[in-house]
Structures are given as C-alpha cells and as structure tokens.
C-alpha cells in the first residue's frame, strides 16, 4: 500500500509539472521580463531584420554585377561568331576559325574578369575606389598588349 501511495504521489507530481514544462521559453521569460528588457529585445530583433535585409540586397547586387559582367564578356564571342557565320569562314579556313573562336573566348573571359573585378571593387569600396583610374590601367594594358602583338608580327 505504501508503494502504491508513493507511486501515485510521484505520478501526481509529474502530471502537475507537465503543463509548466510544456510552456515555450517566451512564455516563461514573459513572466520575468521588464519593459527595459523587452525594449532591448525588440531593438535586437529589428537590428537582426535589418541585417538580413542588407545581406539580401548585397546578394542581389552581386548577382546583377555577375550578370552584367557576363553579358559584356559574351560580346567578343558574339561578334566573332556572327562574322564567322556571315562569312562562312569554317569552309575555307577551319583552323583559323577555331583559333578565332579560341581568341574570342579567351578575350571574353578576360573582359568578364576585368569588368566583374572593377564593378565589384566599386560596389565594395564605393567612392574610395577610383573607377576612372582602373579603366585607364586596363586600357593601358590592352594598348600595351596590342603594341607587343604588332611588334612580334613585324619581326622586331
């Protein structure tokens, strides 16, 4: 009988404690929360929401930059591809056509990389990044490459 009473008492205690254990943390904290604590939590939630919105906006800008640089990078391949199809150069000079496509693809990749790099740095550093200087450096590199290429062809 004593064992029965002990187990019944234990069962009653567990049943009485069950609803308290089923409460979620917000309900438990709500009992002890002061208005100051509630204000701090609301500011924290607002800051967290703003941070998530800023991350989403940054991802959207990076995606736009990637798409823009990709479209610009496809320009050489499109122009040379259109010229190849128009002139049907693969019939007369298949090796030259393959080399032209390779050069167009390499140029497109380089153009994509340069544009994405410049646009990304402009996005990341804002006015602290001098876009004009970057484009002048790239133009100088392109002009130097063309000069060296022509110099090599001339046999110098």
């Amino acid at each position: 009988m004593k064992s029965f009473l002990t187990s019944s008492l234990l069962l009653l205690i567990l049943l009485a404690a069950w609803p308290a254990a089923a409460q979620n943390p917000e309900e438990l904290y709500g009992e002890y929360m002061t208005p100051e604590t509630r204000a701090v939590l609301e500011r924290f939630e607002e800051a967290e929401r703003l941070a998530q919105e800023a991350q989403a906006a940054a991802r959207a800008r990076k995606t736009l930059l990637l798409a823009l640089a990709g479209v610009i990078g496809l320009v050489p391949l499109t122009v040379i591809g259109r010229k190849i199809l128009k002139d049907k150069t693969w019939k007369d000079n298949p090796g030259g056509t393959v080399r032209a496509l390779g050069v167009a693809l390499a140029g497109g990749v380089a153009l994509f990389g340069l544009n994405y790099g410049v646009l990304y740095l402009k996005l990341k550093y804002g006015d602290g990044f001098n876009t004009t200087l970057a484009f002048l450096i790239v133009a100088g590199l392109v002009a130097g490459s063309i000069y060296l290429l022509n110099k090599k062809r001339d046999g110098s």
Side-chain angles (χ1 to χ4, degrees), residues 118-133:
V118 167
L119 292 173
Y120 181 74
L121 288 173
K122 184 67 175 174
L123 174 70
K124 187 170 182 171
Y125 295 112
D127 291 336
F129 179 72
N130 192 344
T131 309
T132 307
L133 178 62

Side-chain angles (χ1 to χ4, degrees), residues 72-91:
I72 292 171
L74 287 174
V75 168
L77 192 61
T78 305
V79 169
I80 290 179
R82 185 182 308 151
K83 186 160 179 69
I84 287 171
L85 291 175
K86 180 181 167 192
D87 296 342
K88 299 181 182 176
T89 60
W90 69 86
K91 292 179 180 176

Side-chain angles (χ1 to χ4, degrees), residues 7-22:
S7 60
S8 296
L9 184 61
L10 183 61
L11 185 59
L12 284 174
I13 291 171
L14 286 175
L15 286 175
W18 190 300

Side-chain angles (χ1 to χ4, degrees), residues 88-112:
K88 299 181 182 176
T89 60
W90 69 86
K91 292 179 180 176
D92 300 332
N93 187 4
T97 303
V98 171
R99 282 193 304 273
L101 286 173
V103 167
L105 186 60
V109 168
L111 196 57
F112 166 80

